[in-house]
């Protein structure tokens, strides 16, 4: 089993800066996410923003992925490929997932957007997904086990009549796009490795209105949809374990970046 990387202060500062850029890219794109806009256009705007800040997208050409971010609409769970043919419409819910590389360091985050008037079910799902991320983050402190993140998320989602995708998970991040450990969003209590100061990783629970299972689009090899066609929602942050708890590295409230 690969060892979890403990970052030094210089590395942490680099990861923090890249993470903040990723967060600001989502802030920047927000006014553009509206009815009648193609997901390919949103991707181009994000790509330009990242380049303008002397960084690059981690997803572009990653294992053949053709775009600068993942945009997942409605029943798409993750890894949605931006397209000129996909036009946002009233009632859509949209996840945009951005990973930046700035000076060799990685930052990874995603958030949900809504188009016009969405259904009550969609509102509930988004609220549950947002709460699941917050609940997972509260489990982040030195000495706790990674399994408790998934244990608490799974318990909350089930109590709110939602399911948690277990085929895709969070991960270590910072010096590479994907590092150990895998952060499961459904897990046994007190399972897995212990968190230590200097670890950086994502929590990114994918929450479904229907069944937890997913299906992969065989045509493009990337797009992941819910097995039953029901809605899915996701929020994601990059976290740092500190001496006393955690720091949300993708919190745009502490950004130094100027557009």
């Amino acid at each position: 089993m690969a060892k979890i990387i403990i970052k030094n202060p210089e590395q942490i500062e680099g990861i923090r800066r890249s993470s903040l850029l990723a967060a600001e890219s989502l802030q920047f794109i927000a006014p553009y996410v509206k009815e009648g806009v193609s997901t390919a256009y949103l991707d181009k705007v994000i790509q330009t923003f990242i380049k303008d800040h002397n960084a690059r997208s981690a997803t572009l050409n990653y294992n053949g992925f053709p775009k600068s971010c993942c945009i997942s609409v409605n029943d798409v769970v993750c890894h949605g490929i931006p397209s000129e043919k996909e036009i946002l419409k009233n009632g859509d819910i949209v996840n945009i997932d951005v990973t930046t590389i700035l000076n060799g360091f990685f930052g990874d985050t995603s958030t949900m957007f809504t188009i016009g008037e969405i259904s009550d079910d969609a509102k509930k799902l988004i609220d549950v997904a947002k709460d699941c991320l917050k609940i997972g983050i509260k489990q982040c402190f030195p000495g706790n086990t990674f399994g408790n993140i998934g244990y608490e998320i799974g318990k909350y989602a089930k109590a709110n009549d939602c399911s948690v995708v277990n085929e895709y998970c969070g991960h270590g991040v910072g010096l590479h796009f994907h590092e150990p450990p895998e952060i499961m969003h459904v897990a046994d209590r007190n399972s897995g490795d212990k968190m230590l100061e200097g670890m950086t990783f994502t929590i990114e629970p994918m929450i479904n209105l229907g069944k937890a299972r997913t299906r992969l689009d065989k045509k493009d090899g990337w797009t992941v949809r819910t097995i039953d066609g029901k809605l899915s929602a996701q929020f994601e942050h990059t976290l740092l374990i500190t001496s006393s708890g955690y720091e949300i590295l993708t919190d745009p409230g502490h950004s130094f970046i100027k557009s």
Side-chain angles (χ1 to χ4, degrees):
M1 183 179 294
K3 189 176 180 181
I4 302 172
I5 303 170
I6 304 294
K7 279 74 174 186
N8 63 40
E10 181 181 355
Q11 292 169 334
I12 289 169
E13 182 57 26
I15 297 165
R16 181 182 288 116
R17 287 175 172 267
S18 187
S19 295
L20 287 171
L21 176 58
E24 282 230 333
S25 71
L26 292 181
Q27 282 191 321
F28 182 79
I29 199 62
Y32 298 89
V33 186
K34 56 188 178 181
E35 187 174 2
V37 171
S38 74
T39 54
Y41 175 75
L42 297 178
D43 179 77
K44 290 176 183 177
V45 173
I46 287 174
Q47 183 182 37
T48 299
F49 180 84
I50 292 172
K51 284 184 176 180
D52 286 348
H53 289 87
N54 301 312
R56 58 192 177 92
S57 162
T59 57
L60 185 61
N61 299 320
Y62 177 77
N63 290 338
F65 191 83
K67 297 294 181 178
S68 295
C69 63
C70 299
I71 303 182
S72 303
V73 182
N74 295 332
D75 67 323
V76 177
V77 176
C78 60
H79 305 159
I81 302 174
S83 169
E84 295 286 357
K85 296 179 180 179
E86 187 169 43
I87 308 298
L88 298 181
K89 62 184 185 302
N90 183 62
D92 284 343
I93 64 171
V94 185
N95 176 273
I96 300 182
D97 189 337
V98 175
T99 306
T100 50
I101 310 173
L102 178 65
N103 298 323
F105 298 101
F106 293 72
D108 191 358
T109 187
S110 82
T111 196
M112 296 297 298
F113 298 89
T114 60
I115 310 300
E117 290 293 323
I118 63 172
S119 68
D120 289 342
D121 281 346
K123 291 176 184 176
K124 173 190 173 181
L125 175 67
I126 289 172
D127 287 344
V128 172
K130 185 180 293 185
D131 287 343
C132 281
L133 176 58
K134 291 177 181 178
I135 286 166
I137 289 172
K138 287 181 180 178
Q139 292 299 312
C140 294
F141 53 87
N144 199 13
T145 62
F146 282 103
N148 284 336
I149 295 173
Y151 175 78
E152 294 296 337
I153 287 172
K155 184 171 67 172
Y156 182 82
K158 183 178 180 180
N160 285 275
D161 300 316
C162 292
S163 63
V164 184
V165 173
N166 57 17
E167 296 162 283
Y168 301 89
C169 59
H171 52 88
V173 71
L175 305 187
H176 310 280
F177 195 170
H178 296 99
E179 304 171 357
E182 291 186 339
I183 312 298
M184 304 306 297
H185 302 117
V186 178
D188 293 332
R189 192 173 188 178
N190 298 325
S191 62
D193 292 309
K194 288 187 176 181
M195 302 176 208
L196 299 174
E197 182 180 359
M199 291 181 175
T200 55
F201 52 88
T202 70
I203 301 177
E204 47 183 298
M206 302 161 206
I207 310 300
N208 296 349
L209 269 182
K211 296 178 180 179
R213 289 179 55 207
T214 66
R215 60 182 176 88
L216 178 66
D217 189 320
K218 294 181 180 180
K219 290 183 179 179
D220 64 38
W222 284 102
T223 305
V224 177
R225 298 182 183 275
T226 57
I227 196 73
D228 53 14
K230 294 187 177 181
L231 297 176
S232 185
Q234 178 194 26
F235 292 85
E236 174 187 11
H237 273 310
T238 294
L239 282 298
L240 163 71
I241 297 298
T242 66
S243 60
S244 59
Y246 63 83
E247 179 184 347
I248 303 174
L249 298 181
T250 43
D251 178 1
H254 301 290
S255 180
F256 66 95
I257 297 166
K258 303 300 180 183
S259 320

